[in-house]
Amino acid sequence: MVVISVSRFTEIQNFIRNYHGLFVNCNLELEAKFPEYSSDTLGSIIGKEVIQRVKSNHSKINARAASLVKEYQTIAKQTLAHDVLQKMAIEWRIPSMVLCRILLGNFFPDASKSEISEMMRMPDLIPDSLLAVNVGYCLYSETMDGPITDLVRRFIGEEYEVRLKKMAREAGMVFYDEGDLRRTGYDKTPDLKMAVPFMFRGQVINWIESKASFGDMDSHKRYVKDQLSSYGNRFGPGIVIYWFGYVESIADCPENGNYVIVTDGFPAKHEMEFLKFDLPEFEEEIQSHDGDS
């Protein structure tokens, strides 16, 4: 189990908040300091912290965008270095691709958001060759933000959804997936909606949601508000699986109500109970009804 106590989670948070350097190195040092947790778990915690930091600092960075452009131009002209933007991002303690996006928007004010995104995906499109090299260096060394990171996270999310369906089938569950539900007109859908509910630790389960991330209090409350509460109101109680673990306080937070059960993995066989159908008797009853008609 990967259920982290509040005090231990605070230790990890403080380490991340006090760290100055590349996020990939922060992850490596966390693994050495907290060897009981996996790289995926620690990386996910870093990611949540970084998202909060970017949200807190974004307006401040945007307000200083013009001076940051001048700072970059001065250093780049003097050094012709390929890592100027990366070092500036470390100083601001934000993902380098966030800084790239802001600076590109100021370098090319007439470019649309999609054109800026295209430059970030393919830095060769940037007319300034030194700026292109700097953006490219950030693109291939950043682990917290940017096109490559977004793609990796999407693949990981899909991998765990596939894993969930495989485990559900092997357990004998009968369910509808997101595609099935959307075809019937649902807009917000869990990853699995049980066609036949089952019992888990004495609770009836109607749906399962997969999260390929660590469950901290802030993100969990947001998920409950934006997604999980609507599943509970529509279908009844269900399970959210945080595959990379969670901080223990979210399991009993008031926002869960009577609808959200938090776990860090697929339910164990001994924790589940399924309805049993006696098929021969059922078939005999059908045949008797057919004979009477």
Side-chain angles (χ1 to χ4, degrees):
M1 289 181 65
V2 189
V3 181
I4 302 180
S5 68
V6 173
S7 60
R8 195 65 165 159
F9 181 62
T10 302
E11 282 184 60
I12 296 171
Q13 281 183 309
N14 288 337
F15 183 92
I16 298 167
R17 290 170 183 177
N18 294 324
Y19 190 85
H20 292 267
L22 294 173
F23 296 116
V24 64
N25 292 335
C26 180
N27 205 348
L28 292 172
E29 292 188 34
L30 272 177
E31 288 178 43
K33 187 173 177 62
F34 302 95
E36 65 270 37
Y37 306 122
S38 72
S39 176
D40 287 335
T41 293
L42 296 171
S44 185
I45 295 173
I46 294 172
K48 300 291 179 70
E49 283 293 311
V50 170
I51 288 170
Q52 287 300 114
R53 187 183 301 169
V54 169
K55 285 180 179 178
S56 301
N57 293 337
H58 204 269
S59 58
K60 188 192 301 183
I61 300 167
N62 268 319
R64 286 203 54 192
S67 62
L68 288 171
V69 167
K70 289 181 181 177
E71 181 183 342
Y72 163 77
Q73 288 174 323
T74 300
I75 299 172
K77 186 176 180 180
Q78 291 172 350
T79 65
L80 300 178
H82 63 279
D83 58 353
V84 177
L85 287 178
Q86 187 184 76
K87 287 178 178 176
M88 289 173 64
I90 290 173
E91 184 181 337
W92 277 88
R93 303 180 70 239
I94 59 171
S96 57
M97 293 305 287
V98 171
L99 183 61
C100 289
R101 189 178 292 110
I102 292 170
L103 293 193
L104 284 171
N106 279 265
F107 269 107
F108 307 102
D110 296 329
S112 65
K113 285 186 178 180
S114 62
E115 287 171 330
I116 296 296
S117 297
E118 198 73 3
M119 289 181 194
M120 292 178 65
R121 281 194 295 271
M122 294 183 287
D124 289 347
L125 297 175
I126 300 171
D128 183 319
S129 59
L130 185 56
L131 180 59
V133 168
N134 266 269
V135 173
Y137 189 72
C138 293
L139 174 65
Y140 294 113
S141 59
E142 182 56 68
T143 59
M144 287 293 133
D145 188 80
I148 295 175
T149 303
D150 291 344
L151 193 62
V152 169
R153 285 177 178 160
R154 195 185 84 200
F155 285 158
I156 291 173
E158 290 176 356
E159 175 193 341
Y160 276 89
E161 286 180 23
V162 170
R163 184 180 300 189
L164 171 63
K165 290 179 188 178
K166 182 174 183 290
M167 297 173 85
R169 290 189 188 99
E170 289 174 350
M173 294 178 182
V174 183
F175 59 84
Y176 304 106
D177 63 19
E178 286 181 288
D180 297 326
L181 293 171
R182 287 207 173 100
R183 280 190 291 273
T184 58
Y186 290 104
D187 49 356
K188 290 186 177 181
T189 61
D191 291 313
L192 301 185
K193 163 68 175 70
M194 298 299 114
V196 181
F198 66 95
M199 299 290 289
F200 172 66
R201 299 175 186 171
Q203 174 73 63
V204 176
I205 299 300
N206 299 279
W207 52 268
I208 303 177
E209 180 72 7
S210 169
K211 298 292 183 189
S213 64
F214 180 85
D216 67 291
M217 185 60 79
D218 288 339
S219 61
H220 178 68
K221 285 183 177 180
R222 190 165 58 253
Y223 287 142
V224 172
K225 180 183 176 183
D226 296 343
Q227 295 178 298
L228 307 181
S229 62
S230 65
Y231 304 160
N233 290 332
R234 181 173 292 173
F235 303 123
I239 292 172
V240 55
I241 302 175
Y242 288 103
W243 293 101
F244 301 157
Y246 60 88
V247 61
E248 62 181 356
S249 54
I250 72 170
D252 301 313
C253 73
E255 285 77 5
N256 292 340
N258 297 318
Y259 296 123
V260 180
I261 299 168
V262 179
T263 74
D264 65 334
F266 192 80
K269 187 175 181 180
H270 70 273
E271 296 177 307
M272 296 185 289
E273 185 178 346
F274 296 92
L275 290 173
K276 293 181 174 62
F277 298 97
D278 193 331
L279 292 180
E281 287 185 10
F282 182 74
E283 288 171 356
E284 285 176 12
E285 185 177 348
I286 293 295
Q287 288 170 359
S288 67
H289 281 295
D290 288 345
D292 294 337
S293 57

